[in-house]
């Protein structure tokens, strides 16, 4: 269950990064709503991370949490915000995915 909570925390990190990106693209009231979404997902992400670390090692949990956030944010950048999908970006995201899987395999 703690791994599931950690994955949801990582996805919430992606959501707050998405809100931040959308807030940069808007202005006025729309921007304010995106910033409120950012704060909501930030609080959710941190709360779930703390809950997951009650049972998982902090080093592993934090690495997986940031990895999920980094991978998700890069993919959002490529697919939603039209950032470049160069060979090296994809290569290093792939190595990050393999590293996260490795941490899950070697953790109890």
């Amino acid at each position: 269950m703690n791994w599931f909570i950690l994955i949801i925390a990582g996805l919430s990190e992606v959501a707050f990064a998405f809100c931040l990106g959308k807030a940069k693209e808007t202005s006025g009231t729309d921007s304010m709503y995106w910033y409120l979404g950012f704060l909501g997902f930030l609080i959710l992400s941190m709360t779930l991370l703390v809950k997951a670390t009650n049972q998982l090692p902090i080093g592993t949990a934090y690495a997986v949490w940031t990895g999920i956030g980094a991978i998700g944010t890069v993919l959002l950048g490529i697919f939603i915000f039209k950032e470049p999908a160069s060979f090296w970006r994809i290569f290093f995201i792939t190595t990050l995915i393999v590293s996260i899987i490795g941490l899950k395999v070697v953790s109890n």
Side-chain angles (χ1 to χ4, degrees):
M1 184 63 163
N2 291 304
W3 282 101
F4 178 73
I5 291 169
L6 184 60
I7 290 168
I8 299 302
L11 294 174
S12 297
E13 184 183 5
V14 175
F16 78 68
F18 174 74
C19 290
L20 188 59
K22 293 299 280 185
K24 286 177 43 179
E25 293 179 346
T26 59
S27 61
T29 305
D30 288 342
S31 182
M32 181 188 68
Y33 290 137
W34 285 111
Y35 283 122
L36 288 174
F38 167 80
L39 287 174
F41 281 113
L42 177 67
I43 291 167
L44 177 63
S45 182
M46 295 296 169
T47 301
L48 293 175
L49 176 63
V50 168
K51 184 166 177 55
T53 59
N54 287 334
Q55 297 295 318
L56 298 174
I58 186 71
T60 300
Y62 185 75
V64 170
W65 176 75
T66 57
I68 292 169
I71 292 164
T73 303
V74 169
L75 293 176
L76 275 177
I78 291 169
F79 293 113
I80 304 293
F81 297 113
K82 307 300 182 206
E83 294 175 359
S86 68
F87 169 80
W88 289 112
R89 285 186 91 187
I90 301 302
F91 173 78
F92 287 117
I93 285 298
T94 303
T95 61
L96 189 54
I97 292 168
V98 171
S99 297
I100 290 171
I101 293 168
L103 283 172
K104 168 68 172 110
V105 168
V106 301
S107 296
N108 292 331

